[in-house]
Amino acid sequence: MVKKKIKTRVVFAELDDFFRKADENIFHDPDDPRDGIGRLPGPDRLMLLIPCVFNRLEEDISKCRECENVTIIIESLQVLKEGINSILTYYLRDDVEDAINLLSNVLSKMDKLSSQKSQSGIRFLSDIARIAPDFQIFLNMLEGFRENRRIRPSEPEADTSWSPECWLDYYMEQARLEEPIIAVVDAEGLSVASLEKGMQLMMEESAQRDKMMEKQFIAYELMKKRDAAFNPEHPERFLDISLIPDIREEDGDEDYEVRVVDLRYEEMEEEPPEPWASSLPELCDWNKFTHESSFDDSEFYRKDFEDDPVYSLLKPFVHNLFKCLKQDYLRQDKESKKEEHQMRSPLEHYLILLALKAQVRISSCEVWVESVGHEAPRKGVYLFAMECLGRIAEAIERFSPEHHYHLATEAGNIKKQIEKIF
C-alpha cells in the first residue's frame, strides 16, 4: 500500500509541476497570448482536494491498529492514479480521445468502489466518492471538446500561402462537417435519395446533440453547486460534507433558502414549435447573432460586415427564400388539414442551410483577414457564397415547383454579380 501511495503521489506531483511551471511562464511573460493555462473547473478543485485525500489517508492509517481494507485501498489508490494520469493525458499530449477513454474507465471503477464501506474508520473510500464528480465534470467538458473538434476542419496556418481557392475548400469542409445533409449530397450527388438520407442523419445528430446538451446541463449544475460549497482556503472541509447544498438564490424579500441537490434531470415536456412559425424572426435572430459574434476582440469587428457588397446582395435573397418557402408550407399545411404540423422537407432544409451558411461566413471572415493580413479569406468566402448560390439554383430547378423558379434565376444573377466583385 505504501508503494502504491508513493506512485500515486509521484503522478500527482507531475501534474502539479506542470501547472506550476505553466503559471510561472505566463507570469514572467506578460505578452503570452494564453490567459492562464486553461485549468478547467474539475481539475482546478482536484488539485486542492487530492493532497487532502492523501493526508487524511496517512492520518487515518496512523490511528488505525488494524486495517482490514488494504486490498480495496490499494485498488482505490490505483484508480486515483489513473484519474490523475487521464488529466495529464489531456494537458501534456492534447489527446482528448485517449483522456476520455481513461476517464470513463476511472469513473466506472470509482462507481464500483463507492459501494464498499470501510469498517476501520478510514475515510479514503468516502473521499474518493466525494472527488469523483469533479472527474465527471472534466469528462463532460472533454466530450464537448471532442464534438467541437469533430465538426471543425483543421484551422489554416496564419501565413500568406493560402489562395482563395484553398479558403473555399476550407469553408466547404467546414459546411460538410457541420451539416450532414450537405456532406451526403457532396458524396452521393444531388438527388431525392441523398437529400432524404442527409435529413435522416441530421435528425440523428440532432438527437445526439440533445443528449449531449442534457449531460452538459447536469454537469454545469453540478459544477455550480460544488463551486458554491467549496472553500479553496479550507479544501479539507469539502470532503466532510455529507450533502452538497444547492446554490442559495434570492427570492424577492424572502430569506435565502438552501436545498439538497437532486442531480436527476427533470425532463420538461414542451410542445414542439411550428416548423415555419418563427422563420422570419429566426432569420432576424441569425443576422443579429452574426453581428454579435462570439469573437471577443472588437478590433476585428470595427468594419460592419453588413456594408460588405456580397452580404448586401445575399441578405434580401435569403429573406425572400425564407418567405417563399414559408408561404408554400402554410398553404400545404392548410390544405392537408392535419392536426400535427409537418416538418420542413429535406429540400427546404438543404436550401435554407446553404443560404444561411453563405451569409454567416461573410460575417465572420474578417477575423481571418485580420489574422493573415490579406484578402484571400474574404475572396474565399465570396467563392463559397457563389458555390452555395449555384447549388441553390440547381436544387430549385430540379426539385422545386415552377413558381419557385424565379429564386433559381435570382440566385444565378447574384452569383454573376459576386463574380464581378471578386
Side-chain angles (χ1 to χ4, degrees):
M1 182 169 66
V2 173
K3 289 181 179 179
K4 182 63 67 176
K5 185 173 63 174
I6 292 173
K7 289 181 180 179
T8 307
R9 276 190 175 275
V10 168
V11 176
F12 177 78
E14 184 181 357
L15 180 61
D16 188 52
D17 186 56
F18 166 77
F19 281 127
R20 289 180 185 278
K21 287 181 178 178
D23 290 340
E24 287 174 7
N25 291 339
I26 295 169
F27 177 78
H28 292 301
D29 184 5
D31 295 326
D32 194 307
R34 296 173 298 177
D35 182 16
I37 192 58
R39 227 183 282 189
L40 301 172
D44 202 29
R45 187 161 35 247
L46 287 169
M47 296 306 293
L48 296 173
L49 289 176
I50 290 175
C52 295
V53 173
F54 286 139
N55 294 338
R56 283 157 65 101
L57 175 60
E58 292 172 354
E59 179 185 333
D60 291 347
I61 290 175
S62 67
K63 294 178 180 178
C64 184
R65 294 182 180 179
E66 294 183 6
C67 182
E68 81 286 357
N69 299 78
V70 173
T71 303
I72 296 175
I73 291 174
I74 291 174
E75 184 181 348
S76 301
L77 281 166
Q78 176 61 28
V79 172
L80 182 57
K81 177 172 171 283
E82 292 172 6
I84 298 168
N85 265 325
S86 67
I87 300 175
L88 277 169
T89 298
Y90 171 71
Y91 280 107
L92 295 184
R93 290 164 37 197
D94 193 27
D95 191 335
V96 174
E97 194 64 40
D98 201 13
I100 288 174
N101 292 334
L102 288 170
L103 267 175
S104 298
N105 189 41
V106 165
L107 285 165
S108 177
K109 292 178 180 178
M110 284 184 173
D111 187 52
K112 291 178 182 177
L113 288 170
S114 65
S115 62
Q116 303 289 334
K117 302 295 181 183
S118 175
Q119 303 297 324
S120 57
I122 293 179
R123 298 167 289 180
F124 189 61
L125 292 176
S126 62
D127 287 349
I128 292 294
R130 171 59 66 217
I131 68 175
D134 285 313
F135 284 105
Q136 182 65 58
I137 289 170
F138 187 51
L139 173 62
N140 290 342
M141 289 185 174
L142 291 183
E143 288 175 340
F145 296 163
R146 178 175 62 183
E147 177 63 14
N148 289 336
R149 292 185 181 189
R150 185 189 68 79
I151 62 172
R152 283 176 173 78
S154 299
E155 291 192 352
E157 297 293 333
D159 57 34
T160 58
S161 62
W162 269 37
S163 65
E165 288 72 22
C166 290
W167 282 98
L168 168 62
D169 292 340
Y170 171 76
Y171 294 129
M172 284 305 305
E173 179 64 13
Q174 201 171 18
R176 283 189 289 267
L177 290 172
E178 291 172 349
E179 308 298 344
I181 195 167
I182 294 177
V184 172
V185 170
D186 262 20
E188 301 180 5
L190 179 62
S191 66
V192 172
S194 65
L195 288 170
E196 290 177 348
K197 181 179 178 180
M199 179 74 166
Q200 181 62 34
L201 286 174
M202 187 176 70
M203 292 172 65
E204 291 172 3
E205 284 200 4
S206 178
Q208 289 298 320
R209 281 196 298 272
D210 288 343
K211 291 180 181 178
M212 177 74 72
M213 287 298 294
E214 180 179 318
K215 289 180 67 177
Q216 294 296 333
F217 170 78
I218 294 172
Y220 178 67
E221 290 297 306
L222 175 62
M223 182 176 65
K224 285 198 305 181
K225 293 170 176 61
R226 289 175 73 82
D227 284 347
F230 180 72
N231 183 350
E233 294 182 2
H234 301 283
E236 70 283 351
R237 295 177 184 175
F238 186 76
L239 297 172
D240 291 323
I241 299 176
S242 57
L243 290 171
I244 304 295
D246 197 357
I247 296 174
R248 296 183 304 178
E249 296 181 356
E250 190 173 10
D251 185 13
D253 295 327
E254 296 180 8
D255 294 333
Y256 284 110
E257 179 185 3
V258 177
R259 299 180 299 279
V260 174
V261 180
D262 182 0
L263 294 179
R264 293 172 297 177
Y265 181 73
E266 298 180 3
E267 294 186 359
M268 302 292 291
E269 292 187 5
E270 297 182 0
E271 295 184 7
E274 295 182 26
W276 285 98
S278 60
S279 293
L280 296 181
E282 174 185 83
L283 185 57
C284 293
D285 290 343
W286 181 279
N287 290 328
K288 181 181 179 182
F289 168 76
T290 57
H291 187 69
E292 299 173 356
S293 172
S294 59
F295 294 103
D296 294 330
D297 196 337
S298 59
E299 291 291 327
F300 290 146
Y301 278 83
R302 285 182 178 173
K303 296 180 181 178
D304 190 345
F305 66 83
E306 292 190 0
D307 294 335
D308 186 284
V310 174
Y311 184 89
S312 299
L313 289 170
L314 286 173
K315 185 174 180 179
F317 170 73
V318 174
H319 190 281
N320 194 25
L321 175 67
F322 263 73
K323 185 177 179 180
C324 290
L325 294 178
K326 180 179 180 180
Q327 287 174 345
D328 262 21
Y329 169 83
L330 292 175
R331 183 172 60 254
Q332 292 169 9
D333 189 53
K334 186 177 181 180
E335 291 172 354
S336 67
K337 297 180 180 179
K338 293 181 179 179
E339 292 185 5
E340 295 183 0
H341 295 285
Q342 298 178 0
M343 291 181 61
R344 293 171 178 166
S345 70
L347 175 62
E348 289 166 340
H349 271 285
Y350 183 64
L351 295 174
I352 290 166
L353 286 171
L354 287 172
L356 292 178
K357 290 290 177 186
Q359 203 174 359
V360 76
R361 289 292 176 263
I362 289 174
S363 69
S364 61
C365 75
E366 190 67 34
V367 173
W368 284 118
V369 172
E370 293 284 344
S371 177
V372 302
H374 56 80
E375 291 293 307
R378 194 191 317 279
K379 291 183 177 180
V381 167
Y382 291 174
L383 290 175
F384 176 73
M386 290 163 60
E387 178 70 23
C388 291
L389 289 166
R391 293 176 181 224
I392 289 172
E394 180 188 7
I396 290 174
E397 289 171 351
R398 289 181 59 180
F399 302 115
S400 287
E402 289 188 11
H403 63 272
H404 283 172
Y405 284 0
H406 71 282
L407 293 170
T409 303
E410 188 179 349
N413 290 335
I414 294 173
K415 182 179 177 181
K416 290 177 182 178
Q417 292 180 64
I418 296 175
E419 260 185 285
K420 293 179 181 178
I421 295 172
F422 179 81

